[in-house]
Amino acid sequence: DAAKKAADKALSAAEEADRKAMQAAKEAELAKELPKSKSPMVFTVYFALGQSKMQSEGMEALQKAVDALKANPGAKMKIEGHTDNTPVIRARFLNNWALSQARAESVKSALVKDLGVSEDDITEVTGFAFYKPASPNDTGKGRQMNRRVDVTVMP
């Protein structure tokens, strides 16, 4: 009975090792297909009005950023938080500077904790409030485009 348990345990460990080896091979193949880039690549995550919590779609953009980081050995990430020009009225954030920084920190946390990026690969986490808009803040659509965090992968 003990010998059967030991054999079953060894078989289970071997199957797990095989699974991990196949996953590693799959990731290696994927890395070959990912674009190697000499210029910075920007991946954008959008946020709801006044919020610093990332929306679920944001993880897709972050996964692409992680894939680009892996495909370019030695690359680093820069994280920049942004807001629209709507005044912050909730007590949770003092102003748009604090909100933009909280958004950047939220993205950094997801990259490190959920997607396994090393903190050493992140060179900067900065909030810019509404001072670097992607779109004019004079329309609802424009303001929506400015509630974002840009993750730049720099090869």
Side-chain angles (χ1 to χ4, degrees):
D1 191 43
K4 182 178 178 351
K5 283 184 180 175
D8 286 347
K9 190 173 179 181
L11 181 62
S12 179
E15 288 172 345
E16 178 67 10
D18 274 354
R19 188 186 66 72
K20 286 182 178 177
M22 289 188 54
Q23 179 66 28
K26 193 170 158 185
E27 287 176 8
E29 284 301 310
L30 176 64
K32 287 182 199 170
E33 295 173 20
L34 289 169
K36 305 269 188 285
S37 179
K38 297 288 182 232
S39 56
M41 296 165 276
V42 180
F43 302 87
T44 303
V45 177
Y46 295 96
F47 289 79
L49 178 65
Q51 298 296 309
S52 65
K53 185 175 187 293
M54 223 174 47
Q55 298 173 327
S56 57
E57 316 74 82
M59 287 303 279
E60 290 175 32
L62 293 187
Q63 184 60 59
K64 289 177 185 172
V66 170
D67 292 344
L69 184 73
K70 288 178 182 175
N72 293 279
K76 298 291 184 188
M77 285 183 160
K78 178 172 69 169
I79 302 169
E80 297 181 340
H82 303 276
T83 65
D84 59 20
N85 63 353
T86 304
V88 174
I89 53 174
R90 294 194 176 133
R92 184 158 177 230
F93 301 104
L94 185 61
N95 53 34
N96 275 313
W97 287 106
L99 175 57
S100 65
Q101 187 66 39
R103 286 176 175 169
E105 294 291 344
S106 169
V107 166
K108 176 187 177 187
S109 178
L111 285 164
V112 172
K113 292 180 181 162
D114 301 331
L115 297 173
V117 171
S118 167
E119 290 200 34
D120 294 340
D121 288 336
I122 300 172
T123 61
E124 183 181 321
V125 182
T126 310
F128 287 95
F130 47 81
Y131 290 100
K132 288 176 111 181
S135 186
N137 273 306
D138 55 0
T139 67
K141 183 71 176 160
R143 284 188 290 277
Q144 189 176 18
M145 298 298 291
N146 292 327
R147 296 191 293 262
R148 73 194 194 282
V149 169
D150 291 329
V151 177
T152 305
V153 176
M154 300 164 297

